[in-house]
Amino acid sequence: MHIDSLFNSVAEQISPTKNTAKLIIPSSWGQGRTVYGGLSASLAYVAAKQVISPNKLLRSLHTSFIGPINVDKELTIEVEVLREGKNVTQVTTKVIQGNNTALISQASFGLARVSKIKIPDLHTHEMTEPEKPSFLPHIPKVTPKFLRHYQLAKVKGGLPFTGRKESDIHGWMRFEKPPAHFTDAHLVSLIDAWPPTILQMFKLPKMASTLSWNLEFIHPHLSIGENEWFAYQATTRQASDGYVHTEANIWDARNELLAISRQVVTVFG
């Protein structure tokens, strides 16, 4: 099932007068024992977007992954507007399956405001778009099923469990099948597709999962082409006690910064 079908299902069910949606996510979006985290976070964003003024843009999205979300089993998405201000709206979204809350996100949407302060972002990358990309391979029963929906072209870093000495990951990413109309929801799902930075340092398979994810969107950003490449560079800031703190920048094809991603990842091993 294409991601657009899942987004449309949520968007059709939720409105300013109806704050719940029900959904079944197919196994093709699986990631180990749960649904791919980037998809569940982007579905929460889509739900939140339906209850706010359309001219307010996503400024930040904080997602806590509380428990596994099973594929092929019905889940419920619940949205609550915490505060509707003149410029900023705060929205929380829960994903519930059975009697368990599996995910909570808080999205902050805001209008552009006149300000005398303007500091341009000077972070850039030196990577060139891949002409003959070397994609992360899709290996049945080894790599997560959801990877079939994306193309990840690595520039720096290694594959998981290859005993590398470094922990940074640089590369390019896009959808395997481009969306009909690219939105911020698609970008949310795409950014999380890369494996945690430190998995490449292990020699044997180890379990890892995202505990929390904070995503900040940079505006204004230009319209995005349907099959555009996005640059991704992730760094491990610190790791100890089985917790890893990572930070990533995401650029569009014109080298304009689109988003800043920060994660806390739990590692079992």
Side-chain angles (χ1 to χ4, degrees), residues 99-114:
N99 296 319
N100 300 314
T101 299
L103 178 149
I104 294 178
S105 76
Q106 179 175 338
S108 299
F109 298 88
L111 297 174
R113 291 181 286 185
V114 176

Side-chain angles (χ1 to χ4, degrees), residues 57-192:
L57 302 177
L58 179 66
R59 302 292 170 172
S60 69
L61 180 69
H62 181 83
T63 305
S64 292
F65 300 94
I66 299 167
I69 302 173
N70 297 317
V71 298
D72 296 326
K73 183 179 179 182
E74 188 176 74
L75 57 83
T76 301
I77 299 176
E78 295 182 353
V79 180
E80 179 183 1
V81 177
L82 297 180
R83 184 176 186 273
E84 177 80 50
K86 178 181 178 181
N87 293 299
V88 174
T89 301
Q90 305 276 3
V91 183
T92 58
T93 304
K94 292 182 180 180
V95 176
I96 301 167
Q97 197 168 58
N99 296 319
N100 300 314
T101 299
L103 178 149
I104 294 178
S105 76
Q106 179 175 338
S108 299
F109 298 88
L111 297 174
R113 291 181 286 185
V114 176
S115 174
K116 295 180 180 179
I117 304 300
K118 187 171 183 179
I119 303 173
D121 181 84
L122 300 179
H123 290 82
T124 60
H125 64 84
E126 303 300 324
M127 303 185 299
T128 56
E129 284 192 25
E131 294 183 3
K132 296 181 179 180
S134 175
F135 296 126
L136 263 66
H138 301 169
I139 306 172
K141 298 183 179 181
V142 176
T143 54
K145 291 182 179 179
F146 79 87
L147 275 179
R148 71 186 69 181
H149 300 287
Y150 303 100
Q151 294 179 346
L152 305 181
K154 181 176 58 63
V155 174
K156 177 184 178 181
L159 295 175
F161 318 126
T162 53
R164 298 290 290 260
K165 299 296 184 182
E166 63 181 350
S167 64
D168 292 353
I169 293 178
H170 296 179
W172 294 88
M173 55 187 174
R174 67 182 180 185
F175 279 86
E176 178 71 29
K177 182 181 178 182
H181 174 62
F182 202 101
T183 68
D184 285 348
H186 294 96
L187 189 57
V188 172
S189 81
L190 186 61
I191 291 171
D192 195 39

Side-chain angles (χ1 to χ4, degrees), residues 4-15 21 43 46-47 50:
D4 284 350
S5 298
L6 296 169
F7 287 170
N8 290 338
S9 178
V10 173
E12 289 167 0
Q13 294 181 66
I14 291 182
S15 69
L43 289 170
V46 170
Q50 307 314 306

